[in-house]
Amino acid sequence: GIQVEQSPPDLILQEGANSTLRCNFSDSVNNLQWFHQNPWGQLINLFYIPSGTKQNGRLSATTVATERYSLLYISSSQTTDSGVYFCAVGRDDKIIFGKGTRLHILP
Amino acid sequence: KAGVTQTPRYLIKTRGQQVTLSCSPISGHRSVSWYQQTPGQGLQFLFEYFSETQRNKGNFPGRFSGRQFSNSRSEMNVSTLELGDSALYLCASSLVLVHEQFFGPGTRLTVL
């Protein structure tokens, strides 16, 4: 089956810094989502991005489906950005999650 | 539009008991998926329902079961609880199978 790898596994940054999170997948996919899991466990939709680039405030995402990767950019980080970021890909009636990137933003 | 709701939010059970968790999807969504999240194993897919039929199943023992009703609400049941079943159980809804998913707040189950 498809493998989904996220990097880095952990990231510690100072407030105000920028970051790039990566999601690689081993085969073609029909869709891709990015989620943020807050400290209370809630998974919040960030982007539904099978291909191309989208922006929402300080966050943006780019998926290059032909090269099997997606990037999530966070600019001017805030402490509320802390948590785990998951990427999930969909193909053949299945959605597969990566193991996530744990982001710590220090005040 | 109301989001995905899950009840109860917290649950404490003892080994050997059974538990039923409920999930109400976003209005109009016909697909409901269930996931188990533990610190050691990450997010693991349990099963997915669409139009009252189980369409997909993860690699979990038969103690884990589910169903979906005609209004798209879903329940999952875990029988003969084990300590290792302690986890956050997340439900997600989508319009159709393998599409953009929206998650509920989760049910945190503790098995003593």
Side-chain angles (χ1 to χ4, degrees):
Chain A
I2 291 182
Q3 306 297 314
V4 180
E5 292 186 6
Q6 292 187 242
S7 59
D10 291 279
L11 191 55
I12 302 174
L13 295 172
Q14 208 69 39
E15 196 170 27
N18 301 329
S19 59
T20 301
L21 281 55
R22 189 177 180 104
C23 173
N24 290 336
F25 40 97
S26 60
D27 207 340
S28 60
V29 298
N30 297 327
N31 56 58
L32 186 144
Q33 278 190 264
W34 282 98
F35 297 91
H36 173 215
Q37 188 169 38
N38 63 25
W40 295 272
Q42 173 84 53
L43 272 161
I44 298 162
N45 290 48
L46 296 177
F47 295 102
Y48 178 74
I49 185 167
S51 63
T53 297
K54 290 188 177 180
Q55 178 150 10
N56 185 4
R58 297 179 296 102
L59 274 61
S60 65
T62 295
T63 296
V64 184
T66 52
E67 297 188 23
R68 300 177 188 165
Y69 73 89
S70 183
L71 301 173
L72 177 68
Y73 305 95
I74 305 173
S75 64
S76 306
S77 299
Q78 301 175 357
T79 55
T80 52
D81 295 331
S82 295
V84 183
Y85 290 80
F86 288 101
C87 120
V89 302
R91 173 187 159 132
D92 293 340
D93 290 348
K94 288 188 180 180
I95 290 183
I96 302 105
F97 277 76
K99 294 187 183 299
T101 291
R102 185 173 297 277
L103 178 63
H104 302 268
I105 304 298
L106 304 174
Chain B
K1 208 181 247 192
V4 180
T5 58
Q6 290 186 244
T7 56
R9 294 293 311 280
Y10 302 91
L11 207 46
I12 299 175
K13 292 284 188 179
T14 56
R15 276 181 298 176
Q17 288 187 308
Q18 75 164 17
V19 67
T20 300
L21 312 182
S22 179
C23 172
S24 292
I26 292 170
S27 177
H29 284 197
R30 295 170 62 192
S31 175
V32 173
S33 299
W34 288 90
Y35 296 86
Q36 181 196 65
Q37 188 176 31
T38 58
Q41 296 295 322
L43 265 166
Q44 291 190 285
F45 171 74
L46 279 156
F47 24 67
E48 181 173 23
Y49 286 87
F50 180 78
S51 293
E52 303 177 64
T53 302
Q54 187 180 92
R55 301 302 179 113
N56 230 327
K57 190 177 193 307
N59 194 21
F60 278 82
R63 299 185 297 107
F64 291 81
S65 62
R67 58 179 176 167
Q68 187 180 33
F69 301 96
S70 58
N71 62 359
S72 294
R73 191 178 70 85
S74 177
E75 288 182 348
M76 69 161 281
N77 185 78
V78 188
S79 62
T80 320
L81 283 166
E82 300 176 359
L83 295 178
D85 297 333
S86 295
L88 178 65
Y89 289 88
L90 291 160
C91 155
S93 81
S94 57
L95 272 172
V96 294
L97 283 171
V98 197
H99 204 261
E100 186 176 11
Q101 293 196 315
F102 297 85
F103 280 82
T107 295
R108 198 167 291 277
L109 172 66
T110 301
V111 182
L112 303 176

